[in-house]
Structure formats: structure tokens, C-alpha cells
Amino acid sequence: LFRSPVLNAASGVANQVQAAVMGFAGSIVTAVKPQIIKSYAAGELQRMERLVFTASKLTFILLLLLSLPLMVEMNFILSMWLKVVPEYAVSFCICTLLFNFFATMSAVVVTVAHAIGKIKRPSVINGTLYLLVIPVSYLAFRNGLSPISSYIFNVLAVVLGMLSNVWTVHKYIPAFSFKRYFLTVFIRCLFVLLLNLTLLLWLKNNLVEEGFLRLVLLIMTSIISVCLNGFYILFDYSTRLTIIQYVKNYAKRFG
């Protein structure tokens, strides 16, 4: 209604990128779901909360490892993949990667709602938020806003939906703290994202010119930075010890 058919091609590229990344993230969420449901069924609410918090952080970190270099070097990567990069494709892809972060965190939390059999509330709220993107985008386009605004509305919808899911779980299980999740998971994950994104953007703008060498350099820097920042900012002391012990045991198998 508002733009040329070229935008359909840009949207198609973004959907392919999203599908590839979400396929990876989905396997992580699937792996942790049985343990969360088992903990709730056994009445181990503290363990359930700890699993949700840790799984949310781990999925975020693993997605960040995969997505951050893509976000920073999206133009170069798409230019290698496609002969002609459609207008807005880079921006659309970056927005879908941002969407993925919060969608996977939301999927972890909503597992608890499924475990307690309270799926109506999150389904109605999330469904309403996602459907609202259509009329809001229509009004935005009618007033001359960029096509990117629709993707931004989508990101806002998934963030609000995720926080709504956390509140729903807290409503039915008061022991599951909304405040603790918001401060120790959501805010810290945002901080880690912004910290690493700022570092990579600085390197991108101040080091070598665009090319394969810069891409490799940013990937290596991203891996080191995300692992270190995620390890020390997202996880508490006991979780860090558990991770270190797991790595040691895994290394012994090949020692």
C-alpha cells in the first residue's frame, strides 16, 4: 500500500536470517523446558526460578555470540550473500535479530505458564500486542514514517510481551520474583548487549576498512568480549563456579 515491491524482497531476506538464527535458539529452549516443568511438578520453586533465570541468560549470551557480528557487519555479509542488497534489508535484519533476543527469553518464561496450565492470559496478551503492530504500522506509514518503524514496533511488542509473561508467572507463583527477573536478567542482558555493541561499533569505525579481515577481527573480539562480560556481569558467584567446573569436566574428556 505504501512502498514499492522491493521492500518485500528486503523483508524476505530478514525472514531468512531470522529463521536461521531462531532455529539455533529454539533447540536451546527445547532442551531446558523439561527441567523447568519437572521442577514445578516436584514443588521445587526455587530451583525452577533459578533454571528460568539461568536459561534466559544462557540463551541470550549464545544468541549474542551468533548475532552481534551479524548486526555490526550486516551490510558486508549481505553484500557477500546477495549481488544486490535490497533497500532497508540491513535495517530489517538488525531489527529481527533484536526481536530474537527477547522472543527466546519470553519462550523460556512462558514454559512456566504452560507448566501451571495458565496459558490463556499470556496467549491473549501476546497475541494482542503482536496484532496491534499492524494498525499501528498502518498509522505510522500514513503519517510518512519509515518502513523500519514497523520492525521497531515489533521489537517493542515482544519486549512488552516478555515482561507480561514474567508478570503472569509472578501472579500465579508469588515466589517467582518479577523484580528480581527484571533487574538481574532483563536489565543486565540489555547492559551486556549495549556494552559489547558499543565496543564492536568503535572497532568497526576506527580500525581497518570494510572487508573479510575486519569481519574476522570483529568476530574474534565479539567472542572474547561477550564471554567475559556475560560470565562476570550476568552470572553470580555460584553459577560461575558451576560453569567453570563443567568446562573442566568437559576438558578432561579430551585431556
Side-chain angles (χ1 to χ4, degrees):
L1 290 174
F2 297 96
R3 298 280 177 164
S4 70
V6 175
L7 279 188
N8 291 335
S11 181
V13 171
N15 289 339
Q16 289 185 59
V17 171
Q18 182 182 34
V21 175
M22 286 299 279
F24 169 76
S27 61
I28 303 169
V29 177
T30 301
V32 77
K33 277 184 177 181
Q35 287 299 316
I36 294 174
I37 295 171
K38 182 180 177 182
S39 296
Y40 172 77
E44 300 173 347
L45 300 184
Q46 263 193 331
R47 181 174 184 269
M48 181 201 72
E49 184 190 67
R50 189 168 64 253
L51 279 171
V52 171
F53 283 25
T54 303
S56 296
K57 294 172 183 178
L58 283 174
T59 52
F60 188 90
I61 286 295
L62 291 172
L63 269 182
L64 195 59
L65 284 170
L66 184 63
S67 303
L68 192 57
L70 291 176
M71 292 170 66
V72 176
E73 285 287 3
M74 185 61 72
N75 185 67
F76 175 67
I77 291 169
L78 289 184
S79 66
M80 288 195 301
W81 177 27
L82 308 168
K83 291 183 178 180
V84 178
V85 179
E87 186 182 10
Y88 292 108
V90 172
S91 299
F92 288 176
C93 287
I94 291 173
C95 286
T96 57
L97 291 177
L98 284 173
F99 176 92
N100 289 347
F101 288 129
F102 305 108
T104 52
M105 292 170 69
S106 183
V108 173
V109 175
V110 84
T111 300
V112 182
H114 289 176
I116 62 180
K118 303 294 183 180
I119 61 173
K120 180 180 179 179
R121 179 186 170 96
S123 296
V124 170
I125 293 175
N126 283 273
T128 302
L129 285 169
Y130 293 148
L131 285 173
L132 279 174
V133 173
I134 298 172
V136 171
S137 297
Y138 178 85
L139 291 174
F141 296 160
R142 281 291 299 268
N143 287 279
L145 292 186
S146 166
I148 301 169
S149 60
S150 179
Y151 281 79
I152 294 173
F153 297 148
N154 210 33
V155 173
L156 291 175
V158 76
V159 171
L160 291 174
M162 183 202 70
L163 295 176
S164 170
N165 290 339
V166 178
W167 181 257
T168 297
V169 173
H170 170 70
K171 176 181 171 65
Y172 293 109
I173 307 176
F176 188 97
S177 173
F178 176 88
K179 181 180 179 181
R180 194 156 51 242
Y181 186 94
F182 183 79
L183 294 176
T184 64
V185 180
F186 180 68
I187 294 298
R188 290 193 184 189
C189 284
L190 272 183
F191 179 71
V192 170
L193 169 61
L194 293 174
L195 183 64
N196 288 283
L197 183 59
T198 301
L199 172 62
L200 260 64
L201 287 174
W202 182 87
L203 289 173
K204 175 185 175 181
N205 294 325
N206 291 278
L207 294 180
V208 294
E209 295 181 357
E210 183 177 83
F212 188 74
L213 177 62
R214 190 175 76 179
L215 175 62
V216 172
L217 176 63
L218 290 178
I219 290 174
M220 297 303 296
T221 303
S222 176
I223 291 172
I224 296 170
S225 178
V226 168
C227 288
L228 288 176
N229 290 328
F231 187 73
Y232 287 104
I233 295 174
L234 289 184
F235 300 111
D236 57 27
Y237 180 72
S238 61
T239 306
R240 291 200 295 267
L241 287 179
T242 302
I243 293 173
I244 291 171
Q245 188 59 48
Y246 177 82
V247 172
K248 285 181 178 179
N249 292 339
Y250 188 80
K252 285 180 181 177
R253 298 178 186 177
F254 302 94

